[in-house]
Amino acid sequence: MSAYIVALIGSVLILLGIFELLRRRQLSEKYAVLWLVVGVTLLVVTIFPGLLGVLSRAAGVEIASNLLFFVAIVFLVGVALHLSWEVSRLEDETRKLAEDLAILRLDVDEHVKRTTSGPDGKS
Amino acid sequence: MSNEFSGRALIVVPAWNEEAAVAETVREIYAAVPAADVLVVDDGSSDRTVECAREAGALVLELPFNLGVGGAMRAGFRYALRHNYDVAVQVDADGQHDPSEIPDLLAGLAHADIVIGARFAERGAYQVRGPRKWAMVVLSKVLSLLAKTRLTDTTSGFKATGRRALPLFAEHYPVEYLGDTIESLVIALRSGCVVTQVPAHMRPRRAGNPSHSPWKATVYLFRAGFALLLALVRRWDTTVKQAVPMAAPPAAEKRMSS
């Protein structure tokens, strides 16, 4: 089996995986679009290997695969950074929820205690 | 809430697995400042902290999972704001802070927005050495400069927060490591609050183990420095709206200033 076929099957599988995740609603839209673009780009580059050569010559990169690596790394760093940002935000939201939950629980407890122990009851 | 609060000071006690010490701490606080309410913030403890605190008569805020001291305190501040307290005082559950010194902190609030119970100033025999000490010295120098007054113990958790800083902390109290001490002071100072200190004793902890090792101290040094730098360069939305408290109008507004 030639490397070409392997790469082709790989790209198609990745694209199908993304599509399936999207279909099962496991991936929210904002990420799905991003990964679909990545998947399609990957497939196009696999089908037309010459394209990479043309692009790297245009960019002044001597070895075509280096362009691929460079773009991939930049992209992955960007994604990782974005995810960190997203996680920080989520963490903060979760914290706020936890705090509010605790406060409300105490408020409700106190309220219940006051109303069940009668008007004279000490709460 | 009801009229039973004659005072408007809330003593916030962040507690994480402190079943051995928390009840005694709560009782001591009630003995020292009978007019205040005690709110124990249980930071996701796995032991009987909640029951112990409740039996001792404290209000107990149960966080569903561990948020760290900063998170626990922010919950406390939000509770204080919501129930219209004028002052929130942090007292650690392990008994290191002497509740009989709370009135000193409250008195200090007459001419400041935040009063720190400083462990080195005159009283007490609390001592640290090595990198931990260097970190504390540098932090004190920088923060003293910012505060335009001498602060000797900027990492003390024993603190009183007045009406002006409360909404700020309820919204922005930092939750990351060391944020609850260093960063919170920077935030307060940068939004124009007045910070002072009063001397305070430091007692040996009643239960649990202190963490001291040279390696940890060095890590502490770097984290403290990083926390400080971050606090200095971060943008803070210091134009915090005065949150509308849900309960009773501020009747006892000036009680604390005597």
Side-chain angles (χ1 to χ4, degrees):
Chain A
M1 205 172 1
S2 76
Y4 182 76
I5 303 292
V6 175
L8 201 64
I9 292 172
S11 314
V12 170
L13 279 181
I14 288 172
L15 204 57
L16 280 178
I18 294 165
F19 185 73
E20 187 58 22
L21 276 177
L22 190 59
R23 209 174 61 87
R24 291 185 192 172
R25 292 204 263 164
Q26 301 284 304
L27 211 59
S28 65
E29 246 165 85
K30 54 180 173 177
Y31 302 112
V33 172
L34 178 78
W35 288 113
L36 277 178
V37 169
V38 172
V40 170
T41 311
L42 203 64
L43 190 64
V44 168
V45 171
T46 323
I47 295 171
F48 310 105
L51 200 61
L52 199 62
V54 175
L55 281 175
S56 53
R57 244 168 285 131
V61 179
E62 269 184 43
I63 304 167
S65 59
N66 278 354
L67 179 71
L68 190 69
F69 291 145
F70 175 73
V71 172
I73 289 169
V74 167
F75 174 77
L76 288 178
V77 167
V79 169
L81 207 60
H82 173 80
L83 287 179
S84 297
W85 173 76
E86 202 77 58
V87 169
S88 307
R89 233 190 37 170
L90 286 175
E91 216 172 280
D92 203 51
E93 286 171 2
T94 320
R95 278 172 177 284
K96 279 234 164 81
L97 284 178
E99 291 164 18
D100 277 359
L101 171 68
I103 292 172
L104 287 178
R105 202 147 58 173
L106 178 56
D107 282 353
V108 170
D109 283 354
E110 291 293 305
H111 186 75
V112 168
K113 229 191 290 176
R114 245 198 331 275
T115 46
T116 52
S117 61
D120 224 324
K122 186 183 175 298
S123 62
Chain B
M1 298 199 70
S2 65
N3 301 326
E4 63 176 298
F5 303 146
S6 53
R8 301 306 302 164
L10 182 70
I11 316 297
V12 183
V13 183
W16 181 48
N17 291 342
E18 295 279 7
E19 62 175 6
V22 72
E24 182 56 26
T25 303
V26 170
R27 278 187 213 105
E28 271 189 341
I29 296 170
Y30 275 132
V33 264
D37 294 313
V38 180
L39 177 75
V40 172
V41 185
D42 168 57
D43 195 9
S45 297
S46 52
D47 63 1
R48 295 188 64 255
T49 302
V50 174
E51 288 85 343
C52 290
R54 216 169 257 152
E55 276 160 26
L59 296 162
V60 180
L61 218 53
E62 280 176 84
L63 294 176
F65 42 82
N66 190 274
L67 291 183
V69 184
M73 282 311 295
R74 193 168 71 181
F77 288 130
R78 287 171 76 173
Y79 185 87
L81 196 66
R82 194 176 152 86
H83 291 282
N84 205 32
Y85 287 91
D86 296 311
V87 183
V89 184
Q90 177 181 352
V91 176
D92 283 355
D94 60 15
Q96 278 189 291
H97 301 151
D98 189 344
S100 67
E101 283 166 342
I102 295 173
D104 295 354
L105 295 191
L106 294 178
L109 280 176
H111 29 76
D113 301 306
I114 293 172
V115 180
I116 306 169
R119 293 165 288 186
F120 305 97
E122 298 125 64
R123 292 191 205 171
Y126 181 80
Q127 284 202 335
V128 289
R129 282 191 309 274
R132 203 179 176 88
K133 164 123 198 207
W134 309 333
M136 286 180 167
V137 168
V138 172
L139 288 171
S140 299
K141 287 268 185 295
V142 175
L143 286 168
S144 294
L145 221 70
L146 272 178
K148 300 186 186 73
T149 177
R150 214 170 89 89
L151 302 178
T152 50
D153 186 16
T154 50
T155 53
S156 170
F158 195 26
K159 262 187 305 193
T161 305
R163 250 229 174 276
R164 187 159 167 216
L166 259 181
L168 184 71
F169 280 176
E171 189 67 27
H172 289 302
Y173 205 67
V175 289
E176 280 145 73
Y177 183 76
L178 282 175
D180 60 304
T181 50
I182 302 162
E183 229 177 311
S184 67
L185 287 180
V186 177
I187 297 172
L189 287 168
R190 280 178 62 182
S191 53
C193 292
V194 179
V195 179
T196 57
Q197 70 175 26
V198 297
H201 281 110
M202 216 47 195
R203 302 187 299 188
R205 52 199 297 146
R206 196 168 280 135
N209 296 310
S211 50
H212 282 305
S213 81
W215 169 244
K216 273 191 185 157
T218 311
V219 172
Y220 178 89
L221 173 66
F222 283 104
R223 295 182 85 164
F226 185 66
L228 177 64
L229 283 180
L230 218 73
L232 287 170
V233 299
R234 269 186 174 168
R235 288 174 47 204
W236 301 107
D237 177 20
T238 48
T239 56
V240 173
K241 60 210 177 288
Q242 282 281 330
V244 186
M246 72 164 216
E253 184 87 50
K254 300 249 42 123
R255 208 187 69 85
M256 285 304 146
S257 52
S258 52

